[in-house]
Amino acid sequence: MFAQLLPVDGSTPVTLNRPITVVGRSPAICDLPLENTSVSKLHCILVKTDGLIYMRDLGSTNGTRVNGQRVLRGALLPGDQISFSGSAYRVHLGPDQDAPVEPSTNGVGKSDGKIAKDHDATDPRGTKSDVRMISDSDILHGSTPGQ
């Protein structure tokens, strides 16, 4: 899965190449260092899995916001906006660069701009969807349920 964070300010996009990306202020520890004093040294982690990006705040002082709402953890959908104390990004997900891209004509799969919850999720068409739960242990060990 190809995943990018597109800065809202129009600066250079950030490609998420690793299965787990640590976001924070510390360039020595973080995969995505942000030069902002309001960002915590270890702010959050982003995990690429199952065609989504799962995020978990790491107890940051100023929090992580998705579509303007402060969240501790959840799944990011294409088009969602994630912000870390003033650094805002739009989520872009797509097939791997080598995979052929098939155009969609029915609009299915477009994000309604809401974050998927850990349970009882609803897709943009208003039907229940099967969202897998992940635990902190799964994130830290790089695995997901069912693997």
Side-chain angles (χ1 to χ4, degrees), residues 48-60:
K48 289 185 350 179
T49 184
D50 295 335
L52 294 173
I53 299 174
Y54 290 98
M55 64 76 54
R56 176 154 180 102
D57 188 88
L58 297 174
S60 64

Side-chain angles (χ1 to χ4, degrees), residues 2-15 80-82 88-93:
F2 180 71
Q4 277 189 321
L5 297 179
L6 307 173
V8 173
D9 67 5
S11 57
T12 307
V14 176
T15 301
D80 281 348
Q81 181 173 313
I82 185 167
Y89 300 87
R90 185 84 42 204
V91 175
H92 172 76
L93 300 174

Side-chain angles (χ1 to χ4, degrees), residues 23-25 38-45 55-65 70-72 83-85:
V23 180
R25 193 177 70 240
S38 297
V39 172
S40 295
K41 288 179 185 176
L42 290 174
H43 201 91
C44 85
I45 59 171
M55 64 76 54
R56 176 154 180 102
D57 188 88
L58 297 174
S60 64
T61 303
N62 294 309
T64 303
R65 295 187 179 274
R70 189 170 178 162
V71 294
L72 297 177
S83 58
F84 317 100
S85 302

